[in-house]
Amino acid sequence: MCRVSFAMAKIYKIKRYKPVFINLISELREMWPEDNVTDEEQAIISSALNRLRLVTKTYFYCNLILAFIFTLPANINLVKSLFGIEVPRILPFVYWMPFDPSKKVVFEVVLIVQNIHCFLSAAYMLAGDLLFFVFLSHITTQFSLLAVRIQKMFYVPIDGQLPESYPLGYYNKENSLNNPNQDTANNRCKVEEEELKNIVIRHKALIRLSNDVENMYSFSLLVNFLNSSIIICFCLFCCAFVEKWNEFNYKIFFITAISQIWILCWYGQHLVDTSAGVGEALYNSAWYVSSNSIKKSILIMIHRSQRRVHITTFGFSTVSMECYATILKTSWSYFTLLINLYNT
């Protein structure tokens, strides 16, 4: 019931703030490049989309299999009893009810309701989490594309001081091929100012969209992480000490729980890394050949990039791989405490 309530709360958030989610989708769609992209940009896009497809499919099927694993034994016993085979009546989930669920007809109704609850819970959890994965995947991809765009913004002639083999030399060679009119200083300065203006607008939009995702998911992530810490602890305890007949179910539930948290934390870490990559790209670009006004703007952008763009668990911690390690340590501490209490 706890997971059903938690999953429904996620869906309520999506319904309650539907315009925010629609704006996230529309703005991220408009940011995708419509012109021809370079091989490096295509590699970034392909890698992000392939990874997102893998994550969504794996996450979907894992939750679906988990739901079937928990409901299948009770449904099999029900079918056997319909054919006259004497089997114990079991329910997928045991919780308090104000009536006796073992009575005829009542048992079948309760079983159907629990099946519906199980699959609805899985569907609601999938809807909320997969939207989170999709949003962060697209935002981090745009941050990576923005970094490539920044490195190609300025033009420096390739000479003895800037060999073609250097990364900046590679970008400048590509820049000179795409923009043959680099010999006019005034024209180059205007192009750079216009390009930097568009980059600043894109950077601010990505930060704003990241903050929207933070506002929509921060509290649910806090509850999710606390809930997962307890689930991981009790799954380990049940596998080690109680209900040996149901040990396989607990192991599957344990693997699903740690996998879900890992994916959430990985995407949070990827957001931190790609947003910081914008500042690194600015620093590694040929900013030193630009005008003073452009240098001031770049300095402001570098200063802003030093403040990490991240998702938090309602302000308590940053969603990152460090947070994932903390969750595992906390779960292990709870597990050892339960072992000591059980053995005394």
Side-chain angles (χ1 to χ4, degrees):
M1 289 296 292
C2 178
R3 289 188 68 84
V4 173
S5 302
F6 178 55
M8 292 183 67
K10 280 190 173 184
I11 295 300
Y12 171 76
K13 192 82 171 181
I14 297 174
K15 178 65 178 178
R16 175 68 176 80
Y17 297 98
K18 184 178 178 181
V20 179
F21 284 92
I22 292 175
N23 179 68
L24 275 164
I25 294 170
S26 61
E27 284 202 49
L28 289 172
R29 183 192 296 120
E30 292 173 359
M31 288 182 181
W32 279 93
E34 298 178 354
D35 302 330
N36 295 330
V37 296
T38 62
D39 292 339
E40 185 178 8
E41 291 172 333
Q42 183 61 44
I44 292 172
I45 294 171
S46 299
S47 175
L49 292 179
N50 290 335
R51 182 170 54 243
L52 183 60
R53 291 191 193 100
L54 177 63
V55 168
T56 52
K57 288 181 180 179
T58 304
Y59 194 69
F60 173 79
Y61 286 114
C62 283
N63 280 271
L64 190 63
I65 292 170
L66 184 65
F68 273 114
I69 286 174
F70 274 92
T71 57
L72 197 58
N75 291 320
I76 290 175
N77 281 10
L78 177 63
V79 173
K80 287 181 178 179
S81 65
L82 294 177
F83 284 95
I85 302 173
E86 290 293 332
V87 290
R89 290 187 166 190
I90 58 173
L91 291 171
F93 308 100
V94 179
Y95 45 80
W96 180 85
M97 284 176 277
F99 53 84
D100 185 7
S102 61
K103 292 181 179 179
K104 218 168 185 180
V105 180
V106 176
F107 174 81
E108 285 76 8
V109 172
V110 172
L111 180 59
I112 293 172
V113 171
Q114 286 198 356
N115 280 321
I116 294 173
H117 280 181
C118 181
F119 284 96
L120 276 179
S121 175
Y124 290 163
M125 290 288 291
L126 282 169
D129 289 345
L130 290 182
L131 267 179
F132 180 79
F133 300 153
V134 169
F135 288 146
L136 285 196
S137 176
H138 285 270
I139 291 173
T140 53
T141 301
Q142 292 300 328
F143 271 123
S144 299
L145 293 176
L146 189 63
V148 174
R149 185 176 172 182
I150 288 169
Q151 290 176 317
K152 297 189 298 183
M153 182 170 54
F154 302 108
Y155 172 74
V156 179
I158 298 173
D159 51 22
Q161 293 183 346
L162 181 62
E164 184 181 333
S165 59
Y166 285 14
L168 190 56
Y170 166 78
Y171 286 115
N172 284 329
K173 180 182 178 182
E174 185 178 349
N175 197 350
S176 63
L177 293 175
N178 295 332
N179 301 284
N181 298 324
Q182 296 286 356
D183 51 339
T184 306
N186 291 333
N187 178 61
R188 186 168 65 245
C189 185
K190 291 180 181 179
V191 170
E192 290 173 354
E193 287 180 353
E194 185 66 25
E195 179 68 6
L196 182 61
K197 178 182 176 181
N198 294 331
I199 288 173
V200 170
I201 293 173
R202 176 64 56 84
H203 190 227
K204 290 173 65 176
L206 289 173
I207 294 173
R208 176 172 46 79
L209 294 178
S210 301
N211 290 333
D212 288 341
V213 176
E214 152 86 5
N215 294 332
M216 294 298 102
Y217 282 94
S218 61
F219 182 73
S220 63
L221 285 171
L222 173 63
V223 178
N224 195 355
F225 285 5
L226 292 175
N227 186 41
S228 296
S229 299
I230 298 172
I231 288 173
I232 292 170
C233 167
F234 278 101
C235 283
L236 289 173
F237 183 76
C238 291
C239 290
F241 293 100
V242 297
E243 297 188 358
K244 292 293 183 181
W245 63 273
N246 208 19
E247 184 177 341
F248 178 73
N249 291 358
Y250 287 116
K251 287 181 178 179
I252 296 296
F253 201 19
F254 169 75
I255 293 172
T256 304
I258 62 174
S259 300
Q260 181 210 26
I261 298 301
W262 184 86
I263 297 172
L264 291 170
C265 291
W266 187 89
Y267 270 110
Q269 182 67 51
H270 195 45
L271 176 63
V272 173
D273 294 339
T274 53
S275 61
V278 173
E280 295 177 3
L282 286 165
Y283 182 78
N284 293 327
S285 67
W287 54 267
Y288 50 87
V289 299
S290 61
S291 62
N292 290 332
S293 60
I294 292 178
K295 290 177 182 177
K296 291 178 182 178
S297 299
I298 290 176
L299 183 61
I300 294 173
M301 282 191 70
I302 291 176
H303 180 70
R304 175 60 186 85
S305 298
Q306 290 174 347
R307 292 178 11 227
R308 299 189 304 175
V309 179
H310 56 267
I311 307 297
T312 67
T313 54
F314 208 59
F316 285 93
S317 63
T318 301
V319 179
S320 62
M321 297 310 296
E322 183 180 354
C323 179
Y324 179 68
T326 302
I327 292 171
L328 294 184
K329 290 178 182 177
T330 303
S331 300
W332 184 259
S333 299
Y334 293 157
F335 175 58
T336 55
L337 178 62
L338 277 178
I339 291 176
N340 293 331
L341 292 175
Y342 184 78
N343 291 330
T344 53

